[in-house]
Amino acid sequence: MNFGRSGTVTDARDSTVYDCALVELPRIAGRAGSITVLEPGKNCPFDVRRVYYLYDIPAGASRGGHAHRDLQQLIVSASGSFEVLLDDGRNRRTVMLNRPFHALHVVPGIWRELHNFSSGSICLVLASHLYDADDYFRAHDGFVTWKSS
Ligand code: TYD
């Protein structure tokens, strides 16, 4: 399990897209299907305060388009596939999620956009904090200014 160097970043303004790691989760496979478990303290790098999922996503739609000051997340494609664009104001990376046993750890201070959802896909998100509208940067230029401050 590799969570990148996220544990060493103390100020979200210093985080980079390279702190966001794609991690392989354990998979218990049987004749009747598979199960994957995420447990804080074992294979989840933060205490989970909130879970949500995106579904019924129309063809061609994109989600995200924001960054968080404090929130960190694990993003999983529970079904289907989509791409996550990560942006730290200097560098960009695109990560494809297409396996329910892969999780993308998005550290605080990273702009993200979700694109190219396959039909019927489900994006499962485990989050470190309750919903807080004040934690969001919804304008990219404001985010970039904050990252360079
Ligand atoms: P948003 O975070 O913009 O979704 P996405 O990143 O998937 O595009 O949230 C969309 C709407 O849902 C917005 O009105 C806020 C609301 N919302 C909540 O009320 N609670 C939540 O936990 C989340 C994630 C969103």
Side-chain angles (χ1 to χ4, degrees):
M1 182 81 33
N2 170 22
F3 289 120
R5 64 179 189 98
S6 55
T8 64
V9 176
T10 54
D11 188 327
R13 282 173 294 201
D14 297 332
S15 66
T16 78
V17 296
Y18 304 108
D19 298 315
C20 299
L22 182 64
V23 297
E24 181 149 349
L25 304 170
R27 182 165 49 139
I28 304 164
R31 271 182 300 187
S34 300
I35 180 168
T36 288
V37 182
L38 274 161
E39 288 181 275
K42 287 192 178 173
N43 60 358
C44 182
F46 51 83
D47 283 334
V48 177
R49 301 288 312 282
R50 180 166 52 110
V51 174
Y52 63 91
Y53 38 99
L54 310 176
Y55 55 96
D56 286 349
I57 301 158
S62 294
R63 306 282 317 204
H66 60 251
H68 292 278
R69 287 178 175 79
D70 293 325
L71 188 78
Q72 48 182 321
Q73 296 171 314
L74 280 179
I75 303 178
V76 177
S77 175
S79 184
S81 64
F82 52 87
E83 291 173 352
V84 185
L85 169 72
L86 303 169
D87 174 350
D88 60 24
R90 292 174 183 269
N91 314 288
R92 289 181 157 213
R93 276 175 75 193
T94 297
V95 178
M96 161 78 96
L97 290 177
N98 58 3
R99 298 278 186 270
F101 51 89
H102 288 171
L104 177 63
H105 181 206
V106 182
V107 300
I110 301 292
W111 184 270
R112 88 291 313 276
E113 298 172 11
L114 281 63
H115 299 292
N116 295 326
F117 288 91
S118 67
S119 175
S121 57
I122 299 174
C123 171
L124 174 67
V125 181
L126 287 72
S128 60
H129 293 72
L130 300 179
Y131 178 72
D132 176 6
D134 293 336
D135 188 55
Y136 280 72
F137 285 99
R138 292 210 178 262
H140 189 263
D141 53 356
F143 164 70
V144 172
T145 300
W146 174 71
K147 287 293 275 189
S148 57
S149 64

